[in-house]
Amino acid sequence: MQENTQDGTPGSWFRVTITSRIKYDRIWLINSIQRHCSVPFTPVDFHFMHDGAQFFVQEASTASALMEVSNKICDEESRKVCIPVFVSPSAAPYSVRDKLKPEEMELLKLTLSKRFDVSQQALDLRRLCDDPDLLGHDIDIILNRRNCMAATLQIIKKNFPELLSLNLSSNKLYQLDGLSDILQVAPTVKILNLSKNKLTSVWELSKMQGLKLEELWLQGNPLCGTFPDQSTYVRAIRDRFPKLLRLDGQELPSPVTVDVDTPCVLKPCKGSYFGSDELKSLVLQFLQQFYLIHDYGDRRCLVAFYHEEACFSLTIPFHPEDPAPSSLCEYFKDNRNMKKLTDPHLRVQLLKHTNRVIVHTLCVLPKTQHDLSSFVVDTWFQTETMLCFSVSGVFKEVEGSSQGCVRAFTRTFIANPASYSRAHFSFNLCIMNDELFVRDASPSETQSVFSIPVPTPTSSSMHTLSQEQQDIMQASSTRPEVNL
Amino acid sequence: MAMPMDFKTYVDQACKAAEEFVNIYYETMDKRRRVLTRLYLDKATLIWNGNVVTGLEALANFFDTLPSSEFQVNMLDCQPVHEQATQAQTTVLVVTSGTVKFDGNRQRYFNQSFLLTAQSTPNNTVWKIASDCFRFQDWASS
């Protein structure tokens, strides 16, 4: 059975029924359903019933998407109670079927405008059904009826979207399902007058939960008589509107809330951490020596920095959506990221073992220029026999297909602080473990790289290095004796 | 007396430890923050973006004030640490990287390294964190 949609084109309507003995928060319920539903939907004529809730949707595709949601939504608290969702074809909902004619809407809009106080953003709809303007034109605006309430809210949405105060006193309202749509239409409402209506249960107010009410009038409704005393009444209302300041014209004592103060502030970040000045100079000297050879010398000389049984591995990030970012292709071969690499045999193979194997790997990696001014170092563990530190910074590739590319890295070293010497030069750290993580530099990292200009020694201009630098290169090219 | 192990066995052991540990660590950090300190040695140290936190009590306070988190790890690597450095205390270096969203803050990339050390009890051997180093990749900007 087909009914016309609001713009006149034919469309089918479906009724969606959620059965549950537990009363749910409308916003929570709709959001929960939407989360599991592949198609966005707009619930029309949402209303609660004694054993659940119901609303309408248009289009068969929306309906079938909603059918998939059944039993996927679980009770907020227990997570064990699954909520069934039933979808069935139906006639158009009341607000659509009995939609006001355009001329009726126009008249209603005029009437409402007369009752609107723009300075207070207040709409006084007291006894709307008895309004002389409406009666004179033979229009029945009974706000209990879904179509009338929907029409009123539509006008509010269009003409008074910043509404602060709404007076619905004396409109014979016995349920608030229709009014609860105001949460979508004018959530700004802070003052609500529902006095002298026919609301029989405080449960009706639950449908309005979500409105940040500061003032509420309920006197003259049957529900007021259902409470044993004033304080129980106030508590029940405040449960639903925690920010309420005035009820039935009376100032409420300020609420005592339990505020679980969840922290949102992070500790400020600091630069390099060394632990002591001695360690600082030790580590910085090491890094200077290491990268001097790594960038400007023969990487084979690095063999002197590593223990015979040292380990080295290299990783790049793994993004499942973009498994092979081509810019880091030079590093694919050696990438030991265990998030991607699951073969145990390969995991062993790609862990480079012994100083000779390590240096062989390093020699094959792209030629680089590290920006030592970008380095931040964390010296994070120290014993007599072990020093762990991590260095992060940026470097430029100076050769090959990625020439000019700026990379960022984090390299973790575990070194034995043994001093060993060759000729008049001594090494202070013997690398046992070396883990290198390389990623593309961010735009800000790329911009700031080499902000301090660095002269570029080329391999043919070794004579431009200082005597000390040449000594380091020479000393490291032969195997040292280790003194512990 | 411990049986001498070959390199491959050390590596396998390290990989197994690293994978199991990392899953538990970030799950605990995200969902059971209160018990996170159980994964640390009594005298463990954390260097968090250059801030030093030493000992279980300080760690407990630190994790308590750290906003709730959602971690996603996209890089994991590990290496067995040579016994000459550890004085025969079985140790694994674990390195991770990924993104984290702390409540009230934007999502950020991070790098983290751990030293895991094997602690033997009569019934079993458990891995505990001896030291932990954490840094945002964009630590300089807040």
Side-chain angles (χ1 to χ4, degrees):
Chain A
M1 179 160 72
Q2 295 225 323
E3 296 287 347
N4 285 353
T5 63
Q6 295 193 302
D7 62 358
T9 57
S12 8
W13 282 94
F14 295 85
R15 184 202 316 263
V16 180
T17 310
I18 298 112
T19 47
S20 174
R21 298 228 172 275
I22 310 168
K23 309 269 188 195
Y24 287 98
D25 180 336
R26 169 183 169 160
I27 293 175
W28 174 84
L29 188 60
I30 296 296
N31 285 346
S32 301
I33 297 173
Q34 185 66 87
R35 258 205 298 278
H36 290 94
C37 182
S38 51
V39 173
F41 67 91
T42 308
V44 177
D45 281 12
F46 181 100
H47 59 278
F48 284 99
M49 306 173 305
H50 79 275
D51 63 349
Q54 221 173 60
F55 60 90
F56 296 84
V57 291
Q58 267 193 293
E59 299 310 316
S61 52
T62 314
S64 41
L66 281 168
M67 276 193 271
E68 301 291 309
V69 170
S70 190
N71 285 315
K72 286 202 181 127
I73 308 160
C74 293
D75 176 284
E76 260 189 310
E77 276 146 24
S78 79
R79 299 223 142 254
K80 281 182 197 161
V81 178
C82 284
I83 306 172
V85 177
F86 299 105
V87 182
S88 58
S90 83
Y94 291 130
S95 68
V96 171
R97 203 176 63 183
D98 303 327
K99 222 161 83 92
L100 265 59
K101 302 194 203 77
E103 55 273 19
E104 291 174 321
M105 282 297 279
E106 194 51 42
L107 184 60
L108 183 59
K109 183 178 122 189
L110 283 172
T111 311
L112 260 45
S113 303
K114 278 193 205 160
R115 289 162 167 263
F116 181 66
D117 177 346
V118 71
S119 64
Q120 307 274 3
Q121 283 288 328
L123 186 60
D124 184 350
L125 298 182
R126 264 179 298 185
R127 271 180 259 106
L128 186 62
C129 45
D130 295 334
D131 191 289
D133 278 348
L134 297 172
L135 286 180
H137 287 82
D138 208 17
I139 296 175
D140 255 336
I141 297 294
I142 295 170
L143 288 175
N144 267 312
R145 295 197 191 143
R146 199 76 194 222
N147 62 335
C148 298
M149 181 61 88
T152 307
L153 290 178
Q154 216 182 322
I155 291 167
I156 292 176
K157 181 177 181 179
K158 245 185 166 161
N159 300 284
F160 324 114
E162 310 273 302
L163 193 65
L164 270 176
S165 167
L166 180 61
N167 189 337
L168 288 164
S169 178
S170 309
N171 275 292
K172 302 184 190 143
L173 294 174
Y174 58 81
Q175 49 80 9
L176 294 180
D177 287 293
L179 183 61
S180 71
D181 284 341
I182 203 169
L183 287 158
Q184 270 73 49
V185 153
T188 46
V189 168
K190 289 200 166 23
I191 301 168
L192 183 62
N193 189 332
L194 291 167
S195 62
K196 300 189 195 143
N197 279 297
K198 305 228 182 276
L199 302 170
T200 52
S201 162
V202 74
W203 168 237
E204 293 297 330
L205 273 317
S206 298
K207 298 174 188 176
M208 306 301 298
Q209 244 173 289
L211 269 187
K212 298 185 171 60
L213 290 183
E214 285 173 8
E215 184 177 315
L216 179 63
W217 296 79
L218 286 174
Q219 65 200 32
N221 278 287
L223 72 89
C224 296
T226 62
F227 294 94
D229 52 48
Q230 181 71 4
S231 60
T232 321
Y233 168 56
V234 172
R235 211 177 318 132
I237 304 302
R238 263 202 150 145
D239 260 352
R240 285 146 177 100
F241 306 105
K243 301 224 153 105
L244 199 65
L245 301 172
R246 289 175 296 282
L247 179 60
D248 293 333
Q250 291 217 330
E251 289 277 341
L252 294 176
S254 11
V256 179
T257 50
V258 177
D259 198 3
V260 181
D261 207 2
T262 51
C264 281
V265 178
L266 293 171
K267 231 178 172 146
C269 299
K270 298 187 186 148
S272 297
Y273 175 76
F274 290 103
S276 73
D277 285 336
E278 201 188 303
L279 269 181
K280 181 174 174 176
S281 57
L282 179 69
V283 171
L284 288 181
Q285 186 185 53
F286 164 83
L287 290 172
Q288 258 184 332
Q289 293 171 355
F290 185 89
Y291 283 107
L292 179 66
I293 300 173
H294 186 276
D295 288 350
Y296 305 112
D298 184 345
R299 284 182 188 170
R300 285 177 295 180
C301 302
L302 289 174
V303 75
F305 285 76
Y306 290 88
H307 189 276
E308 263 182 0
E309 290 168 54
C311 289
F312 169 79
S313 56
L314 180 151
T315 53
I316 60 177
F318 174 55
H319 299 292
E321 332 78 69
D322 176 23
S326 53
S327 64
L328 292 168
C329 50
E330 305 266 357
Y331 303 95
F332 285 176
K333 185 165 59 62
D334 293 308
N335 179 21
R336 195 177 176 254
N337 185 346
M338 285 164 59
K339 280 286 173 189
K340 190 181 175 190
L341 185 76
T342 51
D343 183 298
H345 179 66
L346 278 175
R347 284 177 174 182
V348 174
Q349 266 203 326
L350 287 174
L351 180 58
K352 312 293 176 180
H353 190 219
T354 77
N355 52 0
R356 296 195 183 284
V357 171
I358 292 172
V359 166
H360 177 78
T361 308
L362 295 178
C363 286
V364 169
L365 289 174
K367 202 160 160 59
T368 58
Q369 211 177 82
H370 284 72
D371 179 5
L372 269 71
S373 68
S374 73
F375 283 3
V376 65
V377 183
D378 286 315
T379 313
W380 50 281
F381 190 76
Q382 187 196 7
T383 64
E384 283 159 1
T385 54
M386 186 152 105
L387 181 65
C388 299
F389 54 100
S390 296
V391 191
S392 298
V394 291
F395 65 87
K396 222 175 2 188
E397 288 190 23
V398 297
E399 236 179 38
S401 53
S402 302
Q403 185 176 10
C405 276
V406 180
R407 315 284 189 201
F409 74 96
T410 300
R411 194 163 190 158
T412 301
F413 291 100
I414 299 183
N416 198 325
S419 64
Y420 49 107
S421 58
R422 178 69 205 170
H424 57 275
F425 192 81
S426 60
F427 294 92
N428 288 319
L429 291 175
C430 181
I431 308 171
M432 318 289 294
N433 293 81
D434 177 2
E435 202 282 342
L436 172 61
F437 168 66
V438 180
R439 58 179 174 87
D440 278 315
S442 69
S444 59
E445 284 167 330
T446 310
Q447 272 176 349
S448 66
V449 76
F450 300 111
S451 48
I452 303 158
V454 172
T456 316
T458 62
S459 52
S460 60
S461 60
M462 284 272 281
H463 58 276
T464 61
L465 290 171
S466 73
Q467 184 60 45
E468 199 204 327
Q469 287 170 331
Q470 286 186 57
D471 285 346
I472 294 170
M473 305 274 259
Q474 181 144 46
S476 65
S477 64
T478 48
R479 286 271 312 273
E481 297 137 22
V482 180
N483 299 320
L484 286 169
Chain B
M1 187 143 81
M3 296 283 283
M5 295 208 287
D6 66 348
F7 182 66
K8 184 183 183 304
T9 316
Y10 276 116
V11 176
D12 285 345
Q13 182 191 58
C15 289
K16 184 166 181 290
E19 271 183 319
E20 278 177 22
F21 169 77
V22 160
N23 286 336
I24 294 171
Y25 180 85
Y26 291 107
E27 168 121 4
T28 310
M29 169 75 90
D30 285 350
K31 299 189 182 148
R32 297 175 69 215
R33 181 76 67 77
R34 297 254 143 102
V35 301
L36 186 60
T37 51
R38 290 192 200 163
L39 298 175
Y40 288 79
L41 282 180
D42 285 350
K43 298 213 179 98
T45 305
L46 161 66
I47 313 280
W48 195 89
N49 286 300
N51 294 285
V52 192
V53 186
T54 311
L56 278 186
E57 201 180 318
L59 282 167
N61 287 338
F62 176 79
F63 289 129
D64 203 32
T65 56
L66 197 65
S68 66
S69 58
E70 265 175 57
F71 273 89
Q72 226 171 348
V73 178
N74 65 29
M75 185 284 276
L76 170 64
D77 194 5
C78 67
Q79 296 179 5
V81 182
H82 197 284
E83 61 173 14
Q84 214 167 61
T86 66
Q87 295 177 303
Q89 171 83 29
T90 310
T91 306
V92 176
L93 169 68
V94 179
V95 181
T96 63
S97 176
T99 59
V100 59
K101 178 156 194 332
F102 287 108
D103 197 21
N105 291 265
R106 61 183 169 86
Q107 192 183 66
R108 298 170 85 160
Y109 286 98
F110 73 90
N111 286 98
Q112 191 160 18
S113 311
F114 301 93
L115 270 184
L116 293 187
T117 182
Q119 297 285 287
S120 295
T121 64
N123 295 326
N124 60 355
T125 307
V126 290
W127 294 102
K128 292 242 182 186
I129 304 170
S131 194
D132 176 358
C133 178
F134 177 96
R135 208 175 254 282
F136 290 132
Q137 288 179 6
D138 64 347
W139 64 273
S141 61
S142 58

